[in-house]
Amino acid sequence: MYYQKLDYPCTPKTWNISDDLGQIEYIFSDKTGTLTQNVMEFRKCTINGVPYGKGETDTTRSAKLQEQVDNENSSNAVDLVAEKQLMLKEMSMLFDNPYMSSNLTFIDSNLFCDLRADDKQSKAIQDFFSALALCHTVLVEHPDENNPYNIEYKAQSPDEAALVGCARDVGFVFIERHQDTLTIELLGERKEFTLLNVLEFNSTRKRMSVILRSPEGSVILLCKGADSVIYERLEEGNQDQLKEDTTVDLQNFANEGLRTLCVAYRVIPDEEYNVWARNYAEASSSINDREEKIEQACELIEHSLVLMGGTAIEDRLQEGVPECIATLSTAGIKIWVLTGDKTETAINIGFSCNLLQKDMLLIIISASDKESTRNQLKEAIDKFFGPNVEACNKSNKHALIIDGETLKYALDQSLKHLLLDIGKRCNSVVCCRVSPLQKAKVVALVKEGLNVMTLSIGDGANDVSMIQEANVGIGIAGEEGRQAVMAADYAFAQFRFLDKLLLVHGRWSYIRIAEMISCFFYKNIVWTIAMFWYQIWAGFTAQYLYDYTYILLYNLAFTAFPVMYLGAFDQDVDAKTSLKNPPLYKRGILQRDFTKSKFWLYVLDSVYQSAICFFVPFGLFQHGTSHANGLQNNGLSDLGTLVAGSVVVTTNLYVGLNTMNWSWLCFVVISLSILSFYAWVELYSLWYIGFFRMDLILYTEIDFWLTVGLCVILSILPRYAVKYIHKTYWPSDMDIVREQVHNTKKIKNRECEENDDNIFGNTGVFLNDENDYDSVTVVDVHSDMDEDIHNDNSSTNVPLVTLDTPTKPRSMSKLPKLPKISSLKKTRKDSIRSTEQLCHMNSGKRQSFTGFAFSGEESAFEGFRRSVYQPKQKRTTGLRSNTFTSPSNKDKEKSFLSVLSRSRTLPTALFRRLSPSPSRATSPNRLNNDENGQNVRRRGNSSNEEVELSVILPS
């Protein structure tokens, strides 16, 4: 989870919620900068109703790949290299642009053809890009002092830098900002504008504006923002056709997965501006309710706007995002994306990143008032999840799409139960045009309404409220600063690391802590209840059975370290296997590893073991024995030492039995913990008078060691028997995968040993020619494990070690060592469960097989036998010979293929039904193309409406 580009590893900020990572059921994610790179590239725009910009986006390219477009259609794609050269040629005919970047993202030669026409459309293009060069808060940097034409822009957001950068590349260059003066170069001509006011962007306004005084003296307001916000403030009258054309273009851009903005302007009379400026100054200097008063002042000036056009910016997905989302979905985790983008953009990004799939039914809720929201939510529940669901609406997967305006009403106290009801039934949810406050409310709704573990992940300051509301917060160290990182519980640099954090480390932590807590209670109950049994004979006088030092060191040294090892290092399977089998994570979602029934079973087991560890020593040493030196072993110290020793050995071995990763460290820790008790008794008896030579009294008697051994066996045997029966006849998914991994490793190790023997001459084979080697073919069962788990339906586990014997006869000192058919185990029986019963993960009542079955087909086994065992030649003389005849190529090929088709391992109905692999899908809406495959381009405004746009550059 280390990102080399930023030199940023995964950084935990909180250390006490690691087990929560193994129980996450809902993930709430931002889109921009979290799922995407947050590196913006200006791709397309629409000016006065005319679309510009050629080329494909990642979304359209992935859609074409999924649809498997034939070569004839794909040949109609635009040649961007030729188009770029043509655009540069058209630009050079108008002016020289030394500021142009070497990495052009906006390519369309038609823009400069229209710009050269010197008509109404040409004036609209100049106004549009002039607005992009002026309506911003970016700063100019010159990385190369010797090259004044090399300009870089530093902005608060990547979108703003991309807009100003595109304007620079097409000839509208923002040169510098000096106090209140903005200097730009328009098609080679330098102009200066006076900056009067900046109305900042925020998540509530969803727009930003600047008020300028042009060189001609007029006051101009330039505004850019979301289309829904800009359209509400347009001047009513003669812009209907322009709004309709621009809306169509923005819809097409959104269908390609592009982020869209609208640009508008307004000429303000001097008298109106002077009055407004005084009101705005008063609001800005207000002490109480300053933000509300500023917002009210902005509303007084941002109205009666004239629409200029719209922009489309591409924000590409991060590496590995589709695969990560698919893996998390297979693990049973539901993902909600909360974004500020418009609905069409969010839907197409959802298809690109595997959040939405082709087989999903999209439920789109869009309303303008509370009553309409109520009706749409109820209708959706009845139509898709009610008792009388139509056949066409029946689907295993649904996705909910809801916009911010509708979400405002759906989060009302009287409607949020409907939103929660439909949301929990959907596999994915996409909330569009939402504010940071709405993000936090959605997270709180799910966390409190469903009582589940939630995780929020984001990269910007607008995600902080969502991150803090969830049970676990993840911050992405991206392009928008470190606000989200500082507020999060964990931080890393890429979204793709989330699957490893949850499916590997989170699941391990949950399993470790669940088992550690149970074992910790168990070992203390055994120790304490054993003293309780003694009180029956002590008359409940509170006399201690153990020595004080035993009580002091029991949790400090004798039994502490095995439990610590269990909680820190134990793991059921390795990281690679965990990622290959995401459904193993569902045990954490269902909280199967730490339940009340499991806890009380541990308590019952500890009470039983305490009785064994007390009554067996008490019964055997009740009368005691005498030694030749006059010492006896029937004292309280003797009994307490014997009981304590039995408890220490039993509890440590019991913890080891529940440990799944038996490494060398595990054996060392358990062994040292047990030996530490007896070493302490030895040292303690040397200098404490009450324990004088206790080691000679107990350690020299065989009865002492037999009693300890008997107590350990009687205590652990029931637990061992239960575990054996459960794992043999009712194994969990984890048990099955662990068995398969173990068998695979064992088979591979045997194959390596046998191949080493055959290749390096351990079989006594002498080669007649130095270049005459045996050809050894090994089928790597381990490399096919992933495929076997998900695709195989066979029930055999036969590895292949096929020896292609040489055609030349050769003399041998002894017979070669024959490969073993290691997987045809005679001790295992055929499965008593059918393949249909293998996966019941939702219910937790999994049925599985008891062993590996193999076919008794004579021909298949005979072919395998012939490929391994080489028949002897008939002797022609009385001399002893070890020469073998080689089987024919035909027989060899037949034997190889007959066994290869049966060389799979585990039947894998394991997880296929519950979690079908997600597929990426295309959006139902696409651009309308003409016969040549190009976007249909409208020329100007088709109606007779007159809209004056040439305000910045008068004709």
Side-chain angles (χ1 to χ4, degrees), residues 535-607:
Q535 294 301 312
I536 298 175
W537 281 266
F540 293 94
T541 58
Q543 182 182 17
Y544 285 130
L545 171 64
Y546 310 124
D547 185 77
Y548 289 107
T549 59
Y550 296 169
I551 299 174
L552 177 66
L553 295 175
Y554 180 76
N555 280 316
L556 186 63
F558 299 155
T559 60
F561 296 103
V563 177
M564 292 171 60
Y565 172 86
L566 176 65
F569 300 105
D570 193 27
Q571 52 183 254
D572 53 349
V573 292
D574 57 15
K576 186 177 180 181
T577 306
S578 297
L579 292 175
K580 284 184 177 181
N581 301 276
L584 291 177
Y585 187 82
K586 293 183 178 180
R587 288 187 62 85
I589 297 177
L590 301 175
Q591 299 181 353
R592 295 289 173 79
D593 290 316
F594 191 69
T595 60
K596 292 181 180 179
S597 59
K598 177 181 178 179
F599 174 79
W600 289 112
L601 285 175
Y602 271 74
V603 172
L604 182 63
D605 205 1
S606 61
V607 172

Side-chain angles (χ1 to χ4, degrees), residues 767-787:
L767 303 181
N768 296 327
D769 187 358
E770 62 180 4
N771 296 325
D772 190 11
Y773 294 95
D774 284 338
S775 175
V776 181
T777 303
V778 180
V779 177
D780 190 356
V781 180
H782 183 69
S783 63
D784 294 335
M785 177 184 172
D786 186 33
E787 180 183 354

Side-chain angles (χ1 to χ4, degrees), residues 2 7 10 24 73 95 110 294 300 321 334 490 521 621 678 683 697 707 821 907 910:
Y2 170 74
D7 189 25
C10 178
I24 300 299
N73 292 335
F95 60 94
N110 294 324
I294 291 177
L300 296 176
V321 168
K334 295 182 179 181
Y490 298 87
F521 276 97
F621 278 65
Y678 296 99
L683 296 174
I697 299 175
T707 302
I821 311 175
L910 276 182

Side-chain angles (χ1 to χ4, degrees), residues 764-920:
V765 179
F766 296 92
L767 303 181
N768 296 327
D769 187 358
E770 62 180 4
N771 296 325
D772 190 11
Y773 294 95
D774 284 338
S775 175
V776 181
T777 303
V778 180
V779 177
D780 190 356
V781 180
H782 183 69
S783 63
D784 294 335
M785 177 184 172
D786 186 33
E787 180 183 354
D788 293 341
I789 290 178
H790 297 286
N791 300 325
D792 187 35
N793 291 322
S794 64
S795 58
T796 61
N797 186 17
V798 184
L800 290 183
V801 182
T802 304
L803 301 178
D804 296 336
T805 54
T807 55
K808 299 187 211 177
R810 56 183 70 181
S811 61
M812 305 179 184
S813 61
K814 61 180 180 179
L815 291 176
K817 184 179 178 181
L818 296 177
K820 299 178 182 179
I821 311 175
S822 58
S823 64
L824 302 180
K825 299 178 177 60
K826 297 181 181 179
T827 59
R828 302 295 299 268
K829 297 181 180 181
D830 293 350
S831 174
I832 61 175
R833 308 291 177 191
S834 65
T835 306
E836 299 295 331
Q837 294 175 306
L838 285 180
C839 182
H840 299 288
M841 193 170 300
N842 278 339
S843 62
K845 300 176 180 179
R846 185 181 179 87
Q847 304 289 335
S848 185
F849 55 89
T850 58
F852 296 106
F854 62 90
S855 173
E857 185 181 355
E858 181 66 23
S859 60
F861 183 80
E862 184 65 21
F864 179 83
R865 187 190 64 80
R866 287 201 304 270
S867 67
V868 176
Y869 296 92
Q870 306 175 18
K872 295 183 178 181
Q873 285 184 335
K874 295 181 180 180
R875 301 183 190 179
T876 55
T877 64
L879 298 177
R880 188 180 182 90
S881 174
N882 290 332
T883 304
F884 285 79
T885 59
S886 302
S888 64
N889 293 333
K890 181 177 180 181
D891 293 340
K892 186 162 48 178
E893 180 181 3
K894 178 180 179 182
S895 62
F896 177 80
L897 294 177
S898 64
V899 182
L900 181 62
S901 62
R902 293 155 31 78
S903 63
R904 305 300 183 190
T905 54
L906 183 64
T908 60
L910 276 182
F911 315 124
R912 183 183 305 124
R913 291 188 178 180
L914 201 65
S915 303
S917 59
S919 60
R920 298 171 62 183

